[in-house]
Amino acid sequence: MSWNATPSAAAGGSASSRGTRVPRIGSICRPITAATVSSVNALMVLGRLGTRTGTDPTAAAEAWMVAEPSGEPQRVLICAAGLAEAAWTRDDPDDVRRSVDAVWMLAVERGGPWYLGELLWWLHCAGDTRSGSVTAQPVAEPFALMVAGDAAAAASSWETIGNPFWAALARSASDDPDDLRAATTGLEALGATATHAAVVRDLRRRRTPVPR
């Protein structure tokens, strides 16, 4: 059960424990072996599932510690996005921004549209609207639609790709009661208990009725 843990994987293309601070790029110096680097993807998936289900999310933080010294954009950006998702889930917008800031220049200069798109979405959730600074960079369509506030079109795009988790998350930004009901029931059906709780939290913050 991975729910297409990363958007880039779904398109073919860490959660951290409470209080974890993301190390600066290049701040960790330790030997990197093929075995440790090859474990990043598995750790990342475990971390995403841990974040979404509300179980142990520390594998994503471990994945970050392995991926960060490698400097490889694919691994580093995936793991940073996992940390940002975990920070949003536990309602820590400052840590969302820290997680993204740690890799922002790498994402802008060398990240693909899916990595950049996910990072922009978590920044959007944290109230950061820096997306205007990367207009020259392509952003994957589902994320571009989410950031633009077109929840229905974004959800449809995710469904076309075959990613029910992100389709539900896209619908959670809608004001339409049917979309919100589909979002919350979809997350419950996936077992994404912690994500569901975070969505309900944000709906209440928006003073939007929570579907029953």
Side-chain angles (χ1 to χ4, degrees), residues 16-21 57 90-92 95:
S16 65
S17 56
R18 184 175 296 275
T20 296
R21 293 294 176 260
R90 67 173 183 269
D91 199 18
D92 189 344
D95 215 23

Side-chain angles (χ1 to χ4, degrees), residues 46-164:
L46 290 172
R48 294 279 185 139
L49 290 177
T51 294
R52 296 169 185 180
T53 61
T55 58
D56 184 6
T58 57
E62 183 180 349
W64 166 262
M65 298 298 285
V66 173
E68 189 269 348
S70 76
E72 296 184 20
Q74 180 177 359
R75 292 184 171 93
V76 171
L77 296 177
I78 285 175
C79 293
L83 292 174
E85 179 178 350
W88 167 77
T89 303
R90 67 173 183 269
D91 199 18
D92 189 344
D94 289 338
D95 215 23
V96 171
R97 287 186 285 270
R98 275 189 290 267
S99 299
V100 177
D101 284 341
V103 298
W104 183 247
M105 291 311 299
L106 180 66
V108 171
E109 294 172 3
R110 298 175 61 191
W114 291 97
Y115 303 120
L116 187 58
E118 184 179 3
L119 293 173
L120 283 171
W121 172 248
W122 295 126
L123 284 174
H124 178 81
C125 292
D128 189 313
T129 56
R130 74 182 70 179
S131 57
S133 67
V134 293
T135 51
Q137 300 293 334
V139 174
E141 181 184 61
F143 284 121
L145 291 168
M146 289 172 77
V147 172
D150 195 340
S156 177
S157 186
W158 284 118
E159 286 173 343
T160 299
I161 292 169
N163 195 313

